[in-house]
Amino acid sequence: MQQAIEFMQEQKFEESAKLFTEIIEEQPNDPIGYINFGNLLIHLHELPRAQRFFEKAIELDEYAATAYYGLGNVYLEESIYTKAQANFQKAIELGLEEGDVYYMLGMTLQKQEQMKLALPYLLRATELEPNDGEIAFQYALSLAQSDHINEAKDAFERVLTLNSEHSDAHYNLGVIALYNDQINNAMTHFETALSIQPGHELAANGKEQTQILLDQNKK
């Protein structure tokens, strides 16, 4: 099993599939083999097959939390957000206490434009994975989109402590600075975002609008 998982992590998918098949043949009533094969099939974008493997694992063990998590990932890939949400919630109810499942549930709610509902799950994800910059960014973004501006500012600054080159965090801090009438601070963040990512269209637009305000203040 460990070798099969290592093959999958090394993107040696054919070798991994061969070992998982052998494991399932030897232990057909163990849900773990089906769950891991399902995860492999997600990597291969074979979503209908992956779904069948996760469902087989649940048939063997209705309390297999990671099978529901895998099924949630299938539905998220297929943009069936309500089913993805239900499966991620089920995985959490069954005791899966990992940052990824809270993060994926939060993202599923974001996709349904339920930003405020996403917040507690994304917050929990940041607590479980405190050094993950992308989780921190999505939490900050949900705060901003839920009109928690001061908390969002702190959260975006937290993103920059994890990754000072996060152009989107700089852009959003620029927007918040504009909101707070801190025009020079906004310009600094937009320019920093553009220095990191020259093609950042939103930051370019933000810089342009900020320059107009600076010119008006000079007059």
Side-chain angles (χ1 to χ4, degrees):
M1 183 72 77
Q2 189 59 43
Q3 181 65 68
I5 292 169
E6 286 174 11
F7 278 146
M8 184 166 67
Q9 291 169 340
E10 294 166 5
Q11 298 192 338
K12 297 178 180 176
F13 297 131
E14 191 173 326
E15 295 93 329
S16 181
K18 185 173 182 293
L19 285 181
F20 281 137
T21 300
E22 291 174 6
I23 289 164
I24 289 170
E25 287 174 351
E26 290 172 12
Q27 299 173 310
N29 295 319
D30 187 344
I32 300 298
Y34 296 94
I35 292 166
N36 283 315
F37 208 152
N39 291 331
L40 172 62
L41 290 166
I42 288 178
H43 280 291
L44 298 172
H45 302 290
E46 295 187 27
L47 300 179
R49 284 188 70 203
Q51 180 176 336
R52 289 196 294 274
F53 275 81
F54 292 128
E55 287 172 345
K56 177 63 177 178
I58 291 167
E59 184 184 312
L60 291 168
D61 179 6
E62 62 180 309
Y63 301 106
T66 52
Y68 292 99
Y69 173 66
L71 202 50
N73 281 317
V74 169
Y75 285 125
L76 184 57
E77 287 283 327
E78 293 177 332
S79 302
I80 306 173
Y81 300 126
T82 54
K83 287 189 175 182
Q85 176 186 339
N87 280 282
F88 290 137
Q89 286 175 325
K90 183 71 173 178
I92 291 169
E93 285 170 17
L94 290 171
L96 188 60
E97 191 69 8
E98 294 179 3
D100 279 349
V101 67
Y102 284 95
Y103 172 66
M104 299 307 281
L105 178 52
M107 294 303 295
T108 302
L109 290 162
Q110 267 194 12
K111 295 285 188 183
Q112 298 174 79
E113 299 183 1
Q114 297 178 18
M115 302 303 174
K116 289 185 179 179
L117 288 178
L119 279 174
Y121 298 109
L122 292 172
L123 173 60
R124 183 61 183 144
T126 66
E127 292 168 350
L128 291 167
E129 296 288 346
N131 297 316
D132 190 308
E134 188 54 29
I135 290 176
F137 175 73
Q138 292 298 335
Y139 173 55
L141 199 60
S142 278
L143 282 168
Q145 291 169 333
S146 302
D147 296 323
H148 297 294
I149 303 302
N150 291 332
E151 295 95 327
K153 179 177 180 291
D154 292 342
F156 283 123
E157 287 171 348
R158 164 71 179 151
V159 174
L160 293 180
T161 66
L162 297 169
N163 177 11
S164 61
E165 299 285 290
H166 202 299
S167 58
D168 286 336
H170 278 291
Y171 163 73
N172 280 282
L173 282 167
V175 172
I176 291 170
L178 272 185
Y179 177 83
N180 291 323
D181 294 321
Q182 299 169 345
I183 299 173
N184 290 320
N185 190 18
M187 179 61 84
T188 299
H189 280 297
F190 292 138
E191 288 181 338
T192 304
L194 286 165
S195 70
I196 296 166
Q197 186 183 341
H200 200 302
E201 293 182 8
L202 291 173
N205 184 60
K207 180 182 176 182
E208 185 180 320
Q209 298 302 316
T210 305
Q211 189 62 57
I212 292 169
L213 292 172
L214 287 169
D215 293 342
Q216 287 174 347
N217 285 351
K218 284 179 185 176
K219 291 176 183 178

